[in-house]
Amino acid sequence: MNSRRDFLQKLTASAIAIPFLSSANAWDQPVNLVRNPDGPVLRVALMGLGGYASIVAKAMQDCKRAKITGLISGTPSKLSEWGTKYNVPEKSRYNYENFDDIKNNPDIDVVYVTTPNALHHDQVIRVARAGKHAISEKPMALNAKEGQEMVDACSEAGVKLLVGYRMHFEPKTLEVIRMRNADEFGKILFFQGLSGFRIGDPNQWRLNKALAGGGSLMDIGIYSINGARYMVNEEPIWVTAQETKTDTVKFKEGVDETIQFQLGFPSGAVASCLSTYNMNYLDRFFLNGEKGFAELQPSTGYGPIKGRTNKGALTQPHVTHQTLQMDAMAGIILDGDSPVVAVDGAEGVKDLKIIDAIYAACASGKRHELNL
């Protein structure tokens, strides 16, 4: 795909299907059901009213169990425009200086942080200290140390910390996981993850190390990192990595253009992945086992995901990912549901530990051991 952002205009309203581990026959349910459609509604404040927040906001209009009740932005005109569009009263609109006052707002349960990566750490900790649950976009921080501090702050405050892993609720992805859990692929031997696109505006924050924490790996590459873990169903124990940079003007020091990385798992399975900001049409997962295979292509774009296995095409209907995600997160926060693939802060820290190790392996040229 040219860009994950190529899908901005392709979101479509659809029904909702959220399988959970706690529902034994969830896989056989019709697509237009949520686990607990009559349960309480999650009241969400969106922080950072940029491009991705607009996607989440649009998708949430089709949620059964989540609604927008608060807004946080540094741009007054956005607060006014979004407040009118989504019927959020002025008393529930905040800027980055005063959003700690959400502690006194009973109409907000959780804050969804969609600001640049470098801001997540401090903003999530402030949300936790205000007594509200937090959802952080991925990566949840610049490194594992920051991520763990966020987890600890939320734990100390008695609130939940979730990460915006939308693919953990995507129907075709979950069908591959179901098949793997049912041993339909046999022993897993290999995973390949290709995540990349040619990035545009050289002045955007994603190419600013201070805001992004890196380059392609911190944006698109995390999909292959996380995907390797949930597709193989093991935690990697070692990593090797190599960085390639062809444009040192666009991709300055500390901003990676292309990284290839390899992961090893306790069972002997291996993963070979690529993350890039300089190649289009890279959005593919491939899982190989002794008895079968699964391929998703596109695998992580906004949709529709397409896939096949050795048994044929995957035919689960496309559902807007963020609609699924937010209804599922309502169940997690309000009902204590357990998703098929974890989306909590601990999950986010594991990905950050791998990212730290990939960067270290690029610098050293050596294999780095992992202990997740």
Side-chain angles (χ1 to χ4, degrees), residues 78-117:
K78 285 187 177 181
L79 288 172
S80 177
E81 177 188 346
W82 285 52
T84 300
K85 183 174 183 178
Y86 295 111
N87 197 29
V88 176
E90 287 192 25
K91 69 181 181 68
S92 294
R93 306 174 196 172
Y94 303 87
N95 58 44
Y96 294 126
E97 286 70 43
N98 68 12
F99 77 79
D100 307 272
D101 293 342
I102 59 173
K103 65 184 177 183
N104 301 314
N105 192 333
D107 295 328
I108 295 173
D109 300 314
V110 61
V111 177
Y112 194 161
V113 178
T114 64
T115 53
N117 304 338

Side-chain angles (χ1 to χ4, degrees), residues 144 217 238-241 261 263 350-364 366-372:
L217 192 69
W238 59 258
V239 60
T240 54
F261 61 93
L263 301 169
K350 290 177 181 179
D351 282 343
L352 288 169
K353 286 181 177 180
I354 297 172
I355 287 174
D356 289 348
I358 289 172
Y359 283 135
C362 285
S364 70
K366 299 178 180 179
R367 186 170 105 166
H368 282 247
E369 305 302 315
L370 291 167
N371 183 12
L372 304 186

Side-chain angles (χ1 to χ4, degrees), residues 97-156:
E97 286 70 43
N98 68 12
F99 77 79
D100 307 272
D101 293 342
I102 59 173
K103 65 184 177 183
N104 301 314
N105 192 333
D107 295 328
I108 295 173
D109 300 314
V110 61
V111 177
Y112 194 161
V113 178
T114 64
T115 53
N117 304 338
L119 306 181
H120 297 174
H121 172 268
D122 290 353
Q123 289 171 341
V124 164
I125 290 175
R126 286 174 64 185
V127 168
R129 289 174 178 168
K132 304 297 182 179
H133 304 293
I135 303 170
S136 173
E137 249 317 296
K138 57 195 177 301
M140 61 183 278
L142 296 186
N143 53 59
K145 178 179 180 295
E146 282 193 359
Q148 189 59 53
E149 289 171 354
M150 294 160 69
V151 170
D152 293 343
C154 289
S155 177
E156 291 169 10

Side-chain angles (χ1 to χ4, degrees), residues 209-255:
K209 179 175 170 55
L211 289 175
S216 69
L217 192 69
M218 296 292 285
D219 180 22
I220 192 72
I222 193 170
Y223 285 95
S224 282
I225 293 170
N226 191 249
R229 295 176 52 231
Y230 64 68
M231 286 291 189
V232 175
N233 198 33
E234 294 183 68
E235 300 297 0
I237 56 176
W238 59 258
V239 60
T240 54
Q242 308 81 38
E243 181 178 1
T244 302
K245 186 174 293 191
T246 64
D247 186 342
T248 57
V249 175
K250 190 172 189 178
F251 304 101
K252 297 177 174 61
E253 181 68 25
V255 179

